[in-house]
Amino acid sequence: MPSLYQRLARHFPAPDRRFLETQDGTVMTYGDLEAETARIAGALVALGVAPGDRVAVQVQKSPRALCLYLACARAGAVYLPLNTAYTLAELAYFISDAEPVIVVCDPAAQAGIAALPEAAGVKSVQTLDADGNGSLADLAAGQPSEFEDVARDDDDLAAILYTSGTTGRSKGAMLTVGNLYSNSEVLAGYWGFTADDVLIHALPIYHTHGLFVATNVTLICGGTLFFLPKFDADVVLKLMPRATAMMGVPTFYTRLVDHPGLNRDVAKSMRLFVSGSAPLLAETHKAFKAKTGHRILERYGMTETNMNTSNPYDGERRAGTVGFPLPGVSLRIVDPDTGAERPRGEIGIIEVKGPNVFKGYWRMPEKTAAEFRDDGYFISGDVAFIDADGYVHIVGRDKDMIISGGFNVYPKEIEAEIDALDGVVESAVIGVPHRDFGEGVTAVVVADAGVAPDEGQVRDALKGLLAAYKVPKRVFFVPELPRNTMGKVQKNVLRDAYADTYSA
Ligand code: AMP
């Protein structure tokens, strides 16, 4: 069977067509891509990388870093991208767990990584900087611009992506060639991608969203990327009149909505805005529609499963929902304790099955077994319900569910009521230890400057809307909620910050 790269390359256009354009206007054609990935694949083999070997990569986003991912796909290696924010101590864990043959890092980190006792089995520590220069680039420059791809089966590993691990050790999700290829094929078809598409790519490439969804969907149809080192609303708005699509996390959209340059005219050539990785506020969806005429298309996925659901391309994109299961994906809502399927409209845990779902956690057979049902469904941990029209609504993560006085409380329900109050921008509801109730429902609110309600007003307003046990016992105001780079609210940080609220 062909390599992942060869499968994606089936629809590559003529070699002189643009694959990627950077912020400064540098163009990489499909011909350049073919040659560059061949040279890097040659360098990896020269360094001793064999099929199935892990190549750990912690580098800044650059076109050459993207080529490194595809070079691994050509050489049959397992690509292991690492968040650039990880410290040396954190890297030690990933290296000891994944046992990569090669580590590619920023030049500044090379000496530290090479000196780690955990790096004893690593054959070579290579460098690549933000401009794509470094020892790996030097080595690749001397390699041929043709490479014979290593054959891969659907079930062979293409990548290991470590989950962010807010509780316990970070787990390596093993993604196969079949997982990645099938998902990109489905998404490109569902969202109508063609060779004429020009996608604004401002996401990081160590995470499934920017690495696989945005990149593979563009490659598989032979489109073009505007490849930006990070999200910058000014830059994105400058490029938008020459683009057709963008994929982003909700924060991209809130920043664009706040920017005076966002209007119908600037978005005239755009046909699609996709949001995912964290919930998009219905308010952002509405504000974006009012300013541009575009309805953001929200989809839902996770590192372990690739993409699971999407709002329709043609048809109603419903704000506050993540749409329908994608073609080939089976999704059900179950009772977390019994595993029994819940009727339509009732809340439970999302379970999914399909060619998109990962093979398991690297070297963690027990953890893997615990998160799959006997009939092959993966237990996502996301709490959701399906409405009468089939749209999936995510209401939170199971670990975010609060149990107060024996009652289950879903934070999203309370957050929605708080967010609807005048003067509130957004909120996060958490459970923190409470001597009488087990957990006390606690709200952390970001208010508008000027017209903000106070704690008493928020509680009074909620008393008329929600059962008493759901009304937050305390309401705190903060200038902004803590978020990670993918825009997810870090509830664990809030739980720690307010842990002593009821113990005093
Ligand atoms: P990650 O593995 O970092 O991609 O995180 C996956 C998690 O992000 C999912 O399990 C969901 O909890 C959350 N997530 C992703 N997309 C959405 C979305 N559109 N709405 C709400 N939560 C989402």
Side-chain angles (χ1 to χ4, degrees):
M1 296 275 278
S3 72
L4 174 64
Y5 175 82
Q6 288 170 315
R7 297 180 201 208
L8 293 170
R10 277 186 194 131
H11 304 292
F12 276 6
D16 62 343
R17 289 286 299 268
R18 256 186 331 166
F19 162 56
L20 166 161
E21 186 177 322
T22 63
Q23 200 169 328
D24 66 9
T26 306
V27 168
M28 173 183 269
T29 64
Y30 271 91
D32 297 336
L33 174 70
E34 179 82 12
E36 184 61 22
T37 53
R39 284 190 289 263
I40 301 176
L44 294 175
V45 172
L47 289 166
V49 174
D53 283 347
R54 276 78 57 210
V55 174
V57 179
Q58 188 194 38
V59 298
Q60 299 296 324
K61 182 178 177 183
S62 72
R64 191 160 280 136
L66 191 62
C67 288
L68 175 54
Y69 148 57
L70 294 167
C72 286
R74 298 192 73 172
V78 180
Y79 188 65
L80 197 168
L82 293 163
N83 190 325
T84 42
Y86 287 141
T87 61
L88 197 57
E90 287 166 312
L91 289 182
Y93 164 69
F94 296 117
I95 292 173
S96 68
D97 190 54
E99 296 185 320
V101 167
I102 306 285
V103 179
V104 184
C105 64
D106 195 81
Q110 186 181 23
I113 293 175
L116 286 173
E118 288 80 2
V122 173
K123 284 187 183 157
S124 170
V125 180
Q126 295 286 321
T127 63
L128 207 55
D129 67 14
D131 297 321
N133 297 319
S135 64
L136 185 68
D138 294 344
L139 199 61
Q143 294 291 320
S145 54
E146 280 169 15
F147 181 84
E148 196 173 329
D149 284 45
V150 174
R152 293 278 85 182
D153 286 330
D154 278 354
D155 204 36
D156 284 328
L157 289 196
I160 296 178
L161 263 61
Y162 278 85
T163 58
S164 29
T166 45
T167 50
R169 286 196 330 164
S170 194
K171 304 186 286 275
M174 298 190 287
L175 296 158
T176 66
V177 170
N179 292 152
L180 300 181
Y181 181 71
S182 66
N183 209 232
S184 33
E185 202 176 28
V186 164
L187 293 173
Y190 204 73
W191 295 337
F193 271 82
T194 72
D196 294 330
D197 273 303
V198 181
L199 180 100
I200 298 174
H201 192 304
L203 292 159
I205 55 167
Y206 51 73
H207 184 269
T208 183
H209 196 167
L211 181 63
F212 300 138
V213 186
T215 305
N216 291 350
V217 164
T218 304
L219 283 166
I220 204 173
C221 63
T224 303
L225 295 174
F226 276 145
F227 202 64
L228 309 174
K230 61 177 180 21
F231 180 83
D232 176 327
D234 289 327
V235 174
V236 165
L237 286 166
K238 206 181 286 168
L239 292 170
M240 205 176 275
R242 292 200 293 128
T244 65
M246 184 173 97
M247 293 186 194
V249 293
T251 357
F252 288 13
Y253 293 103
T254 51
R255 290 204 206 142
L256 284 173
V257 162
D258 288 343
H259 196 289
L262 183 74
N263 54 45
R264 278 176 186 261
D265 199 45
V266 79
K268 212 168 51 197
S269 66
M270 296 290 285
R271 66 168 188 88
L272 180 63
F273 291 93
V274 179
S275 177
S277 293
L280 180 77
L281 294 177
E283 192 183 298
T284 311
H285 190 276
K286 275 192 219 127
F288 199 82
K289 166 82 170 60
K291 285 195 152 186
T292 64
H294 283 280
R295 287 190 174 280
I296 299 170
L297 184 154
E298 186 168 6
R299 92 315 178 261
Y300 152 72
M302 51 195 306
T303 300
E304 289 93 328
T305 63
N306 297 284
M307 301 305 107
N308 295 312
T309 73
S310 171
N311 269 278
Y313 184 68
D314 298 311
E316 191 195 346
R317 298 179 192 168
R318 221 172 256 187
T321 83
V322 295
F324 309 116
L326 286 162
V329 177
S330 304
L331 182 148
R332 65 188 183 195
I333 306 286
V334 306
D335 179 312
D337 300 324
T338 65
E341 196 159 348
R342 286 259 165 94
R344 270 270 162 111
E346 287 192 15
I347 290 179
I349 301 278
I350 294 181
E351 295 186 353
V352 287
K353 186 174 162 177
N356 53 311
V357 177
F358 77 138
K359 199 171 174 173
Y361 294 112
W362 173 257
R363 291 182 180 166
M364 288 185 174
E366 291 86 16
K367 278 247 185 311
T368 303
E371 299 200 19
F372 278 93
R373 299 278 180 199
D374 291 344
D375 60 359
Y377 276 80
F378 172 65
I379 307 167
S380 74
D382 287 313
V383 181
F385 69 92
I386 302 179
D387 70 20
D389 299 323
Y391 287 82
V392 177
H393 298 239
I394 296 183
V395 299
R397 292 281 304 163
D398 61 348
K399 62 178 188 302
D400 292 335
M401 194 181 74
I402 303 165
I403 305 182
S404 189
F407 292 110
N408 289 355
V409 179
Y410 295 102
K412 182 81 182 284
E413 183 187 0
I414 305 163
E415 288 160 5
E417 297 295 355
I418 299 177
D419 294 351
L421 298 177
D422 279 346
V424 170
V425 177
E426 61 172 339
S427 60
V429 169
I430 51 170
V432 294
H434 189 293
R435 53 192 181 285
D436 295 332
F437 296 100
E439 284 185 295
V441 178
T442 306
V444 185
V445 174
V446 179
D448 258 341
V451 286
D454 63 20
E455 177 169 17
Q457 287 165 330
V458 171
R459 296 189 69 242
D460 286 346
L462 295 178
K463 276 179 195 160
L465 300 166
L466 296 168
Y469 69 89
K470 297 181 189 171
V471 175
K473 299 190 184 346
R474 290 296 317 268
V475 179
F476 297 99
F477 291 87
V478 293
E480 61 181 349
L481 297 176
R483 284 196 150 81
N484 71 9
T485 40
M486 296 310 292
K488 291 184 218 294
V489 174
Q490 294 168 301
K491 289 203 167 173
N492 54 326
V493 173
L494 292 175
R495 280 191 286 263
D496 289 347
Y498 295 98
D500 298 332
T501 303
Y502 306 107
S503 59

